[in-house]
Structure formats: C-alpha cells, structure tokens
Amino acid sequence: MFRPFSPSPSTLLVPILLRLFILILPSAPAWSSFSHTPLSWTSPHDPCYHPDGRPRHCLSEFINAAYGVPVDASHSLRVHDTDGNVTTLTDLHNPNNLTCWMAHAGHDTGDWVLTLPLGRRFEITYISLQFCNQEEPPDPISLSILKSMDYGRSWRPMQHYSSDCVVHFQQPAQTIAQTRHQETDALCSDPRPFQKQKGGAVLAFSALDGRPSSPDFDYSPTLQDWVTATDIRIRRNNNLNTRPGVRNLQVVQPLTFVSPVQPPLAISDLQVGGRCKCNGHASRCRRDDTGRAVCVCEHHTAGPDCDVCADFYVDRPWHRATPTHPNPCVACECNGHSNKCRFSMEVFLQSGRKSGGVCQKCRHNTAGRHCQYCQNGYTRDHSKALSHRKACQPCQCHPVGAVGRWCNQTSGQCLCRDGVTGLRCNRCAPGYKQGKSPLRPCILEPTKGYSETIELTAVCVCLVVLKVQVKGMERSGPWWQFSISVQVVFRTRSPSRVRRGPQSLWVPNRDLACGCPALHVGRTFLLIGAEDGERGWGPEESRLVADRSTLALQWREHWSPKLRAFRGQDKRGRCPSKSEHGKPNADPQPGYVPPHLRGESEANAHSAEGTETPPTSSAASPVCSTPNA
C-alpha cells in the first residue's frame, strides 16, 4: 500500500531510486486523495503551522492521481475504434492477478493514444507504465508522454522514448537539459533497459530528472508550471518510417503506406504520482459538495488551488508559499468597523510594499482607509478605544450658535458664528451679548463712555487711521512690542509713511497695564492714533507708537465702506488743513480728546449729541491731535 510521501518535489529521487520506489511499493486505494476520509498525518500539529501557531510551508498528500480514473483509449486512424472506459489500467494493481489492456489486433499503422483526465491540477512527480509481459518491447520503440494544463484543450510533450531519437523525433538522445532555457523542453532517450517487476517490465518517467533548476523547485515558477498537469496522454507511435518532426503529436493525418508489423500494445498498470497543486498553502485535498477536487486551504487563502487570498485577507498580494517564506494572506486593518476590503496596488506601492488593503463600508460612523476617522458630524470619543463601536459620537453643536452640525473630528470643536464661542458654540464671546436674530445670536456690546460712530472730523484730526491685525506681543524694557499686520491704510500724515504689511507697534508698559489701548493677540482692530515717535520717549525715532490716548476699536466690517469714503474725501481735500485748526501765536483752543479719555459727564453729553467736537491742538492730546503750526 502506498502511504503519504512527505518530501517536496524538489527532493526527488534519481531515476534508479525512483524505479526501485515504484517496484517496492505497490499501488493501493489509499493513493486516492479524494476518498471520504483524507489521509491523516502523524504530527499532532497542523502541518501548515508551527507548534506556536506561526504559518509555514506545507504540502498536500503524495498520491497516485490515476487510481480509479477511467482511461480513454483511441486510435488515430479509426475514429470509431475507441474504448472510453478502460479501468483495468488504473484499478488495484495485484501482481498475482494482473488485469491487462491490449490494443485491438490488426492496426499496424496509426498511433494508439491513452488519455487520462486527472480532474484537477496536479504537480506531477513521476509517471510509470507497466507492460503485461516480462520481455522488453521489441524494436523499434517509439513512445511519447504529453500533458495538458487546460483540461485537454491543448497538449505539450514532456518526454519521448525511442530506440533512435534522431530518426523518430529529429533530436539527439539526452537525459539532461543542457541549459536552464531548455529545462522545459521535452527530452528524448532510450528507455532500455527496462526495470523488471513481478508481472512485467516498467517504464518510469521522472518529471524533474535532468532539469538544472530542480534543486530550487520551490523558488522556480518555470518548473512549477512544467510539472503542473490536468490530463496525461500516452502515445505509441506506429508510423516509424515517417518524419515525426513534422508530424502533429495531437492530430495525426491518415497515411497511405504500410509500416513494419509490431506486436499489439499490452499494458497492465498506469500510475501518476504527484500532489494536488495547492501552492504550499494546504496539506489536504478533498472533494467539495459538487464533487470537484479542491485543496483544504490554510494561511487565509482560497480557491481550488489556494491561489488567491480569502475575502478580507487582501492587505498584501497573494504569493506561493516557500520553505523560507510561508507568505500567508494578511487581514486588512479596519479597527473592527468593517469586514470587507479590497486590494489597491497604488496604495501598496505608496506604503513601501507593506500594506495595500482599503476598507469598505465602514460601520459605527467611521470612515477612512482603515476606518480610523469619524464621519462628518461625528467626533472622536477619546475615552473609548478606536475599535470600540461607540468611538465616534455625534457633534454636540448648538443649533443656533454653530454653523451647521460639523465639528472637528479630533477635538469636537464646532464652527461658531461671529461673536459666539465655546466647544459647542453655546455662549457669547467676551464683549458680546445675546441678540434676537438667529443669524446673529451674539451682537457686540457697546463700550461705555464713547460711541462707535465714526465721523469725518475724527479721521481728519488724527495722523494715522489703520486697520491692523495683532499677531503677537513681546516685552522690551518699559515697552511692549506688538507684531501687527497692517491690512488697510485709511490715513497717514506723518513724514514716515505707514505701509501695508508687517509692522511693529510700540506701547508703553504703563499704558498697557491699565488697558489703554486694549489690544488682544489674534484680533483685528481699527487703530486711530499717531506714528510719531519724536516726543523723546519712544524706543527709536519714527516708530509707530500707541499710548493711552490712542483709540483701538475692535474691527466691525460695516465700518469699511464709510472709512473708504472718508479716505476719498481726505484725498480730495475735504479734511480741514492745519491753518484752519490753529494759527501761530493764536490763543489755545479746546483740543480734541478721544472719547475714552473724557470725563464721564463729558462722554455722556457727547454721546447724546451723536457727533464729535472738531479737534484743535492741545497739550492734553499729544498723539491724536494736529499740532500748532
């Protein structure tokens, strides 16, 4: 009885040992890998895994793939003289009770063809043919072994046997391929002397014998295809006086001459030793519910030959297992939020050939290649693991204070309306109060002591009127240096003109400590003051200086049209000149004092009037004033 054979095809026996192996071990039903009870292994562990669970290269059972399979016998000249159900060649071989198949007598010309369908892809190790008598077949000998990889649609020769290879097959007799480029070519050799076994002579063919790359079989896709077959065909060539080099081995045309008389072909046993082609990912081969032979795939592979990755295990491309690299299929990383993914070669190459899986149909409000992000309208709950089904929670944005229901997926910060603040946009920012309109839920709260109304006189009497954005601040001795970005220059009348772009604004520490002017980093202000640094107490000359008399109003967008109109009037000469405000040696007139520096009663009176007093020169307003000529 034949038993499972564990060595891989790369450790094949030499032809003499192979023939001894065939002679010593007779065929038996246990060769069939498609029996109801698959062959068992002596190892207590799964052959496809190490004892610690790591995957490893494994092989399916070594079997006689021909056992019990009917053989189709046909003649090339007489189409109707065929036998499509020859079972005597592949039944239980008993040397004491031989069952022989003999070709019909009288066919002196034409070829006898024996076709064996294996039913699936096998990796063939050897093919043996036993004749019904002890005597060697008489000369001339001419026999060919062919294989099909597509279930009989096309055929390719694997080996020729002849007593004269040059005459019969137009190629020299050789048993070893000369180069690696020729190792998948059919060789021709003289089969004599035949091996003798009880019951008759034996012809044995080794699929990898004489192939230069056979020691590296597991790493040679060329040889792996060479030994792969779905059907085997044995052809006995009777037309020995023809030129087989030009004869089609698949379809032989009728001949009009008579060849030498040969004894009828008589064969008692046909064996095909090999393994189910499972690409190193299975140790068993069985029939499925439809009766088709399939590999019992491991390493998360699938398919009849374990030649594709199973669903969801497509993070890397499929590869055949080798003794050094089992190449198991790897699951996609979806953090437990999806059980479906696809492979992307573009992503695989961009990752440095490490990962190419892209998750599909992410659940639990997640998104992204690995389902690692939250969908729009959801934010990450950091108190739960990323794989938790409630790792993404809905954004808690206020329906009125927030713009839409979108929030930052990491922090949960909602997009607030103007004047609204808070993580959920549920309260008014400092300086704002609750309004009545749902479009402007928070409105700017009026500043005590002065009006926000911008008048032409206020613009005309000040040297500098700027729209600035405060970028940062830094202490420099008794001064604070603010980094600002001048966005719009509405008026500048100093010898050193202020230009748009980055600038430095100097504020005395004594004034900033009392909140005059009230500047905040990150906000935009309307700055009404002076750029004059010639009073002797600035850090350098011609610096942009703001002190307690400089007016800094948080910018309101509705001011822009009016200020641009004032700027146009100023350019057209609508602003009063210096001589109109004061003349040399003239009596001092009440000067212009900014509203936030006036007394409470004066501020209230001024606010009630709704206008601002035209400015004149005064020592009380050294910055925002027009000095005497």
Side-chain angles (χ1 to χ4, degrees), residues 332-523:
C332 296
E333 179 55 58
C334 297
N335 294 296
H337 300 299
S338 176
N339 55 8
K340 184 178 181 180
C341 67
R342 62 177 178 87
F343 176 77
S344 172
M345 180 57 71
E346 181 181 0
V347 174
F348 180 69
L349 295 177
Q350 291 177 352
S351 68
R353 307 183 71 87
K354 294 181 180 179
S355 173
V358 178
C359 300
Q360 296 178 304
K361 297 183 179 180
C362 293
R363 297 172 296 177
H364 310 143
N365 306 311
T366 59
R369 178 192 162 197
H370 300 297
C371 301
Q372 77 276 30
Y373 302 127
C374 293
Q375 293 181 356
N376 289 336
Y378 291 83
T379 184
R380 178 79 168 85
D381 185 353
H382 295 280
S383 64
K384 296 180 175 60
L386 182 59
S387 58
H388 197 281
R389 62 181 302 172
K390 294 185 178 180
C392 291
Q393 296 291 335
C395 297
Q396 301 294 326
C397 299
H398 195 278
V400 176
V403 179
R405 297 185 179 274
W406 179 91
C407 67
N408 186 282
Q409 297 180 358
T410 303
S411 63
Q413 175 64 55
C414 300
L415 183 61
C416 298
R417 296 183 184 274
D418 190 19
V420 182
T421 188
L423 188 67
R424 300 172 52 189
C425 302
N426 57 347
R427 65 177 185 271
C428 292
Y432 288 81
K433 67 178 182 178
Q434 186 170 350
K436 298 180 179 181
S437 172
L439 299 180
R440 297 187 62 187
C442 294
I443 58 177
L444 189 64
E445 193 171 9
T447 304
K448 292 182 179 180
Y450 69 94
S451 170
E452 289 188 7
T453 304
I454 305 297
E455 298 294 341
L456 177 60
T457 54
V459 175
C460 291
V461 298
C462 290
L463 295 179
V464 177
V465 180
L466 307 173
K467 177 186 176 183
V468 301
Q469 183 181 17
V470 182
K471 299 289 188 178
M473 58 186 297
E474 182 181 4
R475 180 71 178 267
S476 178
W479 293 83
W480 280 91
Q481 181 183 5
F482 284 82
S483 298
I484 65 173
S485 175
V486 178
Q487 297 181 350
V488 182
V489 179
F490 293 106
R491 190 169 196 268
T492 175
R493 286 292 181 268
S494 178
S496 58
R497 296 299 181 92
V498 179
R499 300 183 181 276
R500 294 176 57 187
Q503 298 284 348
S504 293
L505 178 66
W506 297 86
V507 180
N509 182 40
R510 64 174 183 269
D511 292 342
L512 190 65
C514 66
C516 297
L519 297 176
H520 301 280
V521 176
R523 297 187 183 181

Side-chain angles (χ1 to χ4, degrees), residues 461-463 530 535 547-550 589-594 597 615-627:
V461 298
C462 290
L463 295 179
R535 292 183 303 277
D547 58 12
R548 61 187 297 269
S549 63
T550 301
Q589 298 179 5
Y592 171 75
V593 180
L597 296 180
T616 57
S617 61
S618 173
S621 55
V623 175
C624 190
S625 64
T626 303

Side-chain angles (χ1 to χ4, degrees), residues 4-39:
F5 184 67
S6 58
S8 65
S10 61
T11 58
L12 295 172
L13 300 175
V14 296
I16 297 178
L17 294 179
L18 176 62
R19 292 169 183 169
L20 291 176
F21 175 77
I22 299 172
L23 295 175
I24 294 173
L25 299 178
S27 61
W31 271 90
S32 177
S33 67
F34 309 138
S35 59
H36 295 288
T37 305
L39 297 177

Side-chain angles (χ1 to χ4, degrees), residues 1-284:
M1 177 182 294
F2 279 102
R3 291 181 172 82
F5 184 67
S6 58
S8 65
S10 61
T11 58
L12 295 172
L13 300 175
V14 296
I16 297 178
L17 294 179
L18 176 62
R19 292 169 183 169
L20 291 176
F21 175 77
I22 299 172
L23 295 175
I24 294 173
L25 299 178
S27 61
W31 271 90
S32 177
S33 67
F34 309 138
S35 59
H36 295 288
T37 305
L39 297 177
S40 61
W41 291 75
T42 57
S43 172
H45 303 288
D46 191 328
C48 295
Y49 294 91
H50 289 282
D52 59 359
R54 291 179 294 113
R56 65 180 177 184
H57 174 257
C58 55
L59 297 172
S60 60
E61 302 94 339
F62 189 87
I63 62 171
N64 175 13
Y67 177 77
V69 179
V71 178
D72 178 77
S74 61
H75 194 270
S76 60
L77 297 182
R78 302 190 179 183
V79 180
H80 300 288
D81 193 1
T82 61
D83 190 350
N85 192 25
V86 179
T87 58
T88 56
L89 297 178
T90 57
D91 59 355
L92 179 61
H93 183 64
N94 185 358
N96 299 317
N97 184 19
L98 293 178
T99 55
C100 289
W101 173 84
M102 183 175 294
H104 299 171
H107 294 163
D108 298 330
T109 60
D111 301 339
W112 273 105
V113 180
L114 302 178
T115 304
L116 175 68
L118 302 179
R120 63 156 290 118
R121 279 182 285 271
F122 278 88
E123 291 184 347
I124 304 301
T125 301
Y126 77 88
I127 300 173
S128 69
L129 199 66
Q130 183 172 354
F131 299 95
C132 290
N133 50 61
Q134 293 288 347
E135 300 297 331
E136 294 184 357
D139 286 338
I141 299 174
S142 179
L143 192 126
S144 299
I145 299 177
L146 301 90
K147 72 161 187 174
S148 174
M149 297 178 61
D150 52 11
Y151 299 94
R153 286 187 289 271
S154 62
W155 295 90
R156 178 181 181 182
M158 297 187 73
Q159 180 71 25
H160 301 300
Y161 289 106
S162 176
S163 54
D164 193 339
C165 291
V166 176
V167 173
H168 297 158
F169 295 99
Q170 287 190 323
Q171 64 183 84
Q174 60 180 13
T175 58
I176 299 177
Q178 299 300 319
T179 64
R180 290 179 181 264
H181 297 289
Q182 299 176 348
E183 62 184 359
T184 57
D185 295 339
L187 303 179
C188 182
S189 62
D190 192 336
R192 296 171 298 184
F194 287 87
Q195 295 293 326
K196 299 296 181 62
Q197 185 179 2
K198 185 178 180 180
V202 175
L203 174 63
F205 163 67
S206 173
L208 292 179
D209 184 29
R211 311 294 165 174
S213 300
S214 58
D216 299 324
F217 173 81
D218 291 311
Y219 305 94
S220 174
T222 301
L223 282 186
Q224 292 164 10
D225 286 340
W226 165 251
V227 301
T228 300
T230 59
D231 301 81
I232 297 296
R233 175 171 285 182
I234 309 295
R235 178 186 293 276
R236 181 186 177 180
N237 306 307
N238 287 336
N239 301 320
L240 302 180
N241 56 348
T242 63
R243 295 175 62 86
V246 297
R247 185 178 58 192
N248 190 337
L249 292 175
Q250 302 181 43
V251 179
V252 179
Q253 301 296 333
L255 303 177
T256 58
F257 55 83
V258 178
S259 63
V261 177
Q262 285 188 320
L265 181 64
I267 302 175
S268 65
D269 189 48
L270 173 62
Q271 295 184 20
V272 178
R275 306 175 188 273
C276 290
K277 186 177 181 66
C278 299
N279 294 293
H281 292 298
S283 61
R284 293 184 299 150

